[in-house]
Amino acid sequence: MSEEQAGAGDQGRPESQEPVRLGMTGGDTAFLVVIGAALGAGVAALLPVAARWVEERGVPFPGILQLLASFDSDWLVWGRPVIGLVVGVVAALLITHSEPALTVSTDSVLVEKGDSRRRIKREDVAGVYRDGKKLVIETEQGRRLYEGGVEGRRDLVRAAFVDRGYPWENED
């Protein structure tokens, strides 16, 4: 059997492409944690100032803000920013944990989100495209096997699928 005949059955799909992971990197996670920590500490430190400003302006229903700022123990001078920092870090970690990650190989796409993992077989995929900011993976009948965001530059996401033989339907 010639090489042309051997390749005809697999529709010309690449055989030796390494899987590629699309999603948040460790650097992305670290960046979000730092931003979350800074925002949390900053907001918590400025809470008394914001509560005074709200009270002076006569803003209706300032309740929760004034309640949080009213705690005036000595330890809260440094404790409030530390609590805000911890809350910011936890929020950032929850965000990164809930972001989807796709591992694209020549035979399947592994979708990981939080603690759940789902594998989409290559033979079930009839089309991959962008719909706004969402990535969509569809069957021949139009059933959406995946619809959601994915971290990564548009050209790298496209290349991950095209290089592994998936039908990319956008013109970009």
Side-chain angles (χ1 to χ4, degrees):
M1 182 184 306
S2 73
E3 284 185 34
E4 273 183 30
Q5 290 171 329
D10 66 4
Q11 300 171 340
R13 277 189 259 148
E15 290 295 323
S16 63
Q17 284 284 345
E18 289 292 319
V20 65
R21 187 175 188 281
L22 302 170
M24 291 188 120
T25 65
D28 295 336
T29 301
F31 177 75
L32 270 180
V33 167
V34 168
I35 295 296
L39 285 174
V43 167
L46 295 174
L47 199 57
V49 174
R52 275 194 302 278
W53 184 85
V54 164
E55 190 175 339
E56 290 170 2
R57 302 292 184 273
V59 174
F61 310 109
I64 190 77
L65 185 61
Q66 287 177 338
L67 174 67
L68 291 173
S70 70
F71 301 117
D72 59 358
S73 297
D74 291 337
W75 71 270
L76 283 175
V77 171
W78 60 267
R80 192 179 288 122
V82 170
I83 292 168
L85 182 138
V86 170
V87 169
V89 168
V90 169
L93 291 174
L94 287 173
I95 289 169
T96 59
H97 184 69
S98 67
E99 282 294 309
L102 278 64
T103 304
V104 184
S105 65
T106 55
D107 62 342
S108 66
V109 177
L110 177 63
V111 179
E112 299 171 280
K113 186 171 182 178
D115 293 330
S116 69
R117 296 165 50 103
R118 184 170 60 106
R119 189 168 301 276
I120 300 170
K121 294 178 186 171
R122 167 64 184 91
E123 58 264 14
D124 295 337
V125 177
V128 182
Y129 60 93
R130 286 273 192 186
D131 185 8
K133 292 189 177 206
K134 292 182 179 180
L135 179 73
V136 179
I137 301 174
E138 281 188 348
T139 65
E140 192 71 40
Q141 296 78 25
R143 179 173 163 243
R144 292 185 174 195
L145 300 171
Y146 177 77
E147 178 179 14
V150 63
E151 284 294 317
R153 290 191 350 231
R154 292 177 75 85
D155 59 331
L156 294 179
V157 172
R158 179 186 183 279
F161 284 95
V162 171
D163 292 351
R164 283 153 192 82
Y166 289 84
W168 187 263
E169 296 181 355
N170 288 99
E171 292 296 321
D172 54 4

